Amino acid sequence: MADQTIRLRLDGTADARDVGALMAWLAREEPLEERVRAGGLRISEARSSEPESGAPMGVGSEIVVALVSSAAAPVFNQLVQEIRRAVVAWRDNRREVEHGDPPQVDVDVVSSDGDG
């Protein structure tokens, strides 16, 4: 089975603070926090392979959430939905505590060979 990876791509309005804040938010969300603590989930930052127009120096940011052990499709699909809910909650919170609109975040499922 291919690695089970979820890529969160932030649009060109995002800055390093947004990326760090979203990563921290995801790491604290239940049940994501439990999976990270147990070593079954990794959350890391990566440079986007598809630069966003408007991003500083043409480089976009991504957050990669990797399921360390393979899981059945329903479990992985539930994880994707949990991440989508967490992103919506982060954007709502960001809107309340910061000026301006939060960046858009695309949540995509990606296989280990780059197809997705």
Side-chain angles (χ1 to χ4, degrees), residues 35-57:
R35 291 180 179 165
V36 168
R37 198 172 334 123
L41 193 67
R42 279 193 316 261
I43 301 172
S44 59
E45 181 179 358
R47 289 290 169 212
S48 176
S49 56
E50 301 170 17
E52 292 284 334
S53 62
M57 297 188 292

Side-chain angles (χ1 to χ4, degrees), residues 11-113:
D11 73 14
T13 65
D15 59 21
R17 190 175 60 199
D18 288 319
V19 174
L22 180 52
M23 285 179 59
W25 186 277
L26 291 171
R28 288 189 308 262
E29 280 289 298
E30 291 291 337
L32 303 178
E33 179 182 31
E34 294 170 13
R35 291 180 179 165
V36 168
R37 198 172 334 123
L41 193 67
R42 279 193 316 261
I43 301 172
S44 59
E45 181 179 358
R47 289 290 169 212
S48 176
S49 56
E50 301 170 17
E52 292 284 334
S53 62
M57 297 188 292
V59 177
S61 294
E62 295 178 347
I63 296 172
V64 177
V65 180
L67 196 57
V68 176
S69 60
S70 62
V75 172
F76 184 68
N77 291 338
Q78 179 183 2
L79 175 63
V80 172
Q81 293 307 312
E82 290 166 357
I83 289 172
R84 287 186 172 134
R85 281 191 293 272
V87 167
V88 168
W90 174 78
R91 290 188 79 237
D92 289 346
N93 182 70
R94 161 81 165 59
R95 194 174 282 115
E96 290 184 19
V97 299
E98 303 254 347
H99 294 296
D101 287 329
Q104 287 292 329
V105 180
D106 293 325
V107 179
D108 300 311
V109 176
V110 183
S111 65
S112 64
D113 59 5

